[in-house]
Amino acid sequence: MQAFSITIAPRFYETDAMGHINNTAIAAWLETARVRFIESLADGALVDERSWILASVKIDYLSETFYGEEVIATVTDASPGNSSLTLQLEMVQGGRRTVRATAVLVYMNFAQKTPERVPDQIRERLARA
Amino acid sequence: MQAFSITIAPRFYETDAMGHINNTAIAAWLETARVRFIESLADGALVDERSWILASVKIDYLSETFYGEEVIATVTDASPGNSSLTLQLEMVQGGRRTVRATAVLVYMNFAQKTPERVPDQIRERLARA
Amino acid sequence: MQAFSITIAPRFYETDAMGHINNTAIAAWLETARVRFIESLADGALVDERSWILASVKIDYLSETFYGEEVIATVTDASPGNSSLTLQLEMVQGGRRTVRATAVLVYMNFAQKTPERVPDQIRERLARA
Amino acid sequence: MQAFSITIAPRFYETDAMGHINNTAIAAWLETARVRFIESLADGALVDERSWILASVKIDYLSETFYGEEVIATVTDASPGNSSLTLQLEMVQGGRRTVRATAVLVYMNFAQKTPERVPDQIRERLARA
């Protein structure tokens, strides 16, 4: 698939007393990258992004992230399973790779709280992308 | 009324690069103090705390707050208007007063998005407290 | 002065169980608007933005802010006192004014923890702007 | 080792528009559990907790977490490597296991930005615990 990127300007309150961006802010940016990616697949009314639940996330903090320079967060791969979608993500700041992450989302019928098969439109869109 | 207090243990991610607790964490703690106070009035099913909307908040940052020592947040006064409730709050860390705040909540019929008169049970409870 | 604006794309985690953007996220966005405005005055090395401390903030929540549409946060006025700077801010989403705020910053010698006179370069820059 | 637990009262702003606690709040609570655990090892001046850097975290979201009931976060295991410490964590709310996580911390000489061997006092303390 074609990589999907967003740009994040670190916010001052996301720093911590060690002088860098706190790890929890980066977990939060990953949510933003995931949600924007899902929205990019949705093409308006195709899916409700709220039906995707985060089942699991693994974050490798490769190097420090600092205030004052933009971060590019990229979804480098998205592989659908039956009712899941596994995303590979990375973040780069000033040419340095700062974060690598894997997230597993589950497509949920949220009213019934049961997983559902990832819709064919999403699969086709991922295959084409 | 009798003062209502909660204790907050600052979290490391709430610090910022200046080495102290960031101002936005304190705004968040004030929400927690307000909500717990409203819940203490509610006595279970009396009111739905989600019906109170924050209309306005004024926060004076009197001195720095640091990681590593608990903060006592106190609602020192609560004055009902017709559909509003004005709270006075303060925070103390290690004997130092760090924050003074005023918050105005509005009692909302959230389905209809219209303000409603503060219920008599709440008024009586505030008068008694 | 000329108004200074930034654009904020609400993040999903900034919503709350009432379905709108939580009040604490808006307090955080105000920090971002203040810091970017101060940085815009600083012109690189002119001042260290970390020398400005938030002394007080008043936030009026005029209407709900929602996920899914950008917010424009504007510093509409900035008035220097001796060691302080009073900012007027507002936020607009989809043509609706959602927030009005006043923030008082103090220019601090952070090593000595004492207020200092706002530098003339800043005053001139504000007068020109 | 003996399990180390802390209790977390979910805060209202940690909910999201899906009506439950947002995944990013849980990533933040994990930081609090890690830091408190490290502080419990430190016995005052033994180590500086700021020397531990988060290298990696894996979080499995096993079931939803809700506002209104306390969460117990437990460090169930801590295994030192040469310069690392691998923690196993879990969270329980109302008897339901909601989160399972693994975090890898690295003991850093933060001035020199190089990893250092985990001190013997920490190893002994972990062995005894």
Side-chain angles (χ1 to χ4, degrees), chain B residues 13-102:
Chain B
Y13 71 84
E14 294 172 327
T15 60
D16 68 23
M18 299 182 80
H20 57 203
I21 298 297
N22 183 268
N23 70 86
T24 68
I26 288 165
W29 298 350
L30 285 172
E31 186 202 71
T32 300
R34 287 191 308 268
V35 170
R36 297 264 193 279
F37 174 70
I38 292 290
E39 289 172 349
S40 77
L41 294 179
D43 205 22
L46 186 59
V47 299
D48 177 3
E49 74 278 13
R50 299 196 181 170
S51 301
W52 294 90
I53 296 294
L54 182 62
S56 171
V57 66
K58 164 111 168 34
I59 310 173
D60 293 313
Y61 295 91
L62 305 176
S63 63
E64 293 176 280
T65 302
F66 294 101
Y67 180 75
E69 190 169 4
E70 288 186 343
V71 171
I72 312 296
T74 302
V75 179
T76 58
D77 190 63
S79 302
N82 184 40
S83 59
S84 70
L85 185 62
T86 300
L87 304 183
Q88 306 297 333
L89 301 105
E90 65 172 38
M91 292 189 190
V92 171
Q93 185 182 45
R96 256 175 327 106
R97 195 148 63 130
T98 53
V99 172
R100 187 175 46 211
T102 302

Side-chain angles (χ1 to χ4, degrees), chain D residues 1-60:
Chain D
M1 56 162 270
Q2 210 178 331
F4 172 87
S5 293
I6 63 167
T7 299
I8 294 152
R11 298 172 178 177
F12 185 70
Y13 70 84
E14 294 173 327
T15 61
D16 68 24
M18 300 182 81
H20 57 203
I21 297 297
N22 184 267
N23 69 85
T24 68
I26 287 165
W29 298 349
L30 285 172
E31 186 203 69
T32 300
R34 288 192 309 268
V35 170
R36 297 265 193 278
F37 174 71
I38 292 289
E39 289 172 349
S40 78
L41 293 179
D43 205 23
L46 186 58
V47 298
D48 176 4
E49 74 279 12
R50 299 197 182 170
S51 301
W52 294 91
I53 295 294
L54 182 64
S56 171
V57 67
K58 164 112 167 34
I59 310 173
D60 293 312

